[in-house]
Amino acid sequence: MADPERLPARLPALLRHPAAAPLAVLAAGAAGSAHLYVTDPHRPGHWLPACPFRLLTGLLCPACGGTRMVYDLMHGHFAQAWLDNRVLLLVSPFALVLLGRWMWAGLHGRSWHPRLGPRGVAAVLAVAVTWAVVRNAVDGF
């Protein structure tokens, strides 16, 4: 067991390890997923944050429905997840691959900093804005 008096001196070094950030994101995601698994966001009265964009504007942001989508995926309701947020459902595997790549690099002692060039940023913004406009313009989409 580690000497308790030496632990604070070691803590900053542990936090600087390349695996610290992806492991923290994974732990937070697991904790959030555990809470979401038992909390139905389709029903009122739950303790889940509301979308600030929707609260201010009354419009759906590109990520609105993401919490319901994840809940439905965890419970095997794939058709409902598709209705919750189609674009987020389609890009979720890519986000999981990026998290896995980040974790892999961190666990092997390497930092990984993916970069998007100007065209990539423009593409992501174009998809997000287009999706927000389409889902707000077409009733029930």
Side-chain angles (χ1 to χ4, degrees):
M1 182 166 201
D3 180 13
E5 294 196 13
R6 295 190 45 148
L7 190 58
R10 290 183 43 141
L11 191 58
L14 288 174
L15 293 177
R16 285 192 305 268
H17 191 277
L23 286 172
V25 168
L26 184 66
S33 295
H35 174 69
L36 181 60
Y37 188 81
V38 297
T39 307
D40 187 351
H42 295 284
R43 299 178 188 256
H46 55 71
W47 188 79
L48 293 170
C51 174
F53 183 81
R54 189 161 191 191
L55 285 174
L56 291 173
T57 66
L59 299 171
L60 298 169
C61 80
C64 274
T67 303
R68 292 186 307 275
M69 180 199 74
V70 172
Y71 175 86
D72 289 330
L73 285 175
M74 288 192 294
H75 290 84
H77 305 143
F78 302 110
Q80 185 59 47
W82 174 255
L83 296 175
D84 291 332
N85 193 318
R86 292 160 175 83
V87 171
L88 218 57
L89 184 63
L90 293 174
V91 301
S92 294
F94 298 107
L96 291 174
V97 167
L98 289 175
L99 177 61
R101 171 66 177 87
W102 187 29
M103 181 73 65
W104 179 264
L107 291 174
H108 286 86
R110 295 185 301 271
S111 294
W112 185 62
H113 305 284
R115 304 270 186 236
L116 266 182
R119 287 184 185 163
V121 171
V124 168
L125 287 174
V127 168
V129 169
T130 301
W131 174 232
V133 169
V134 166
R135 70 190 309 211
N136 284 295
V138 179
D139 190 32
F141 191 67

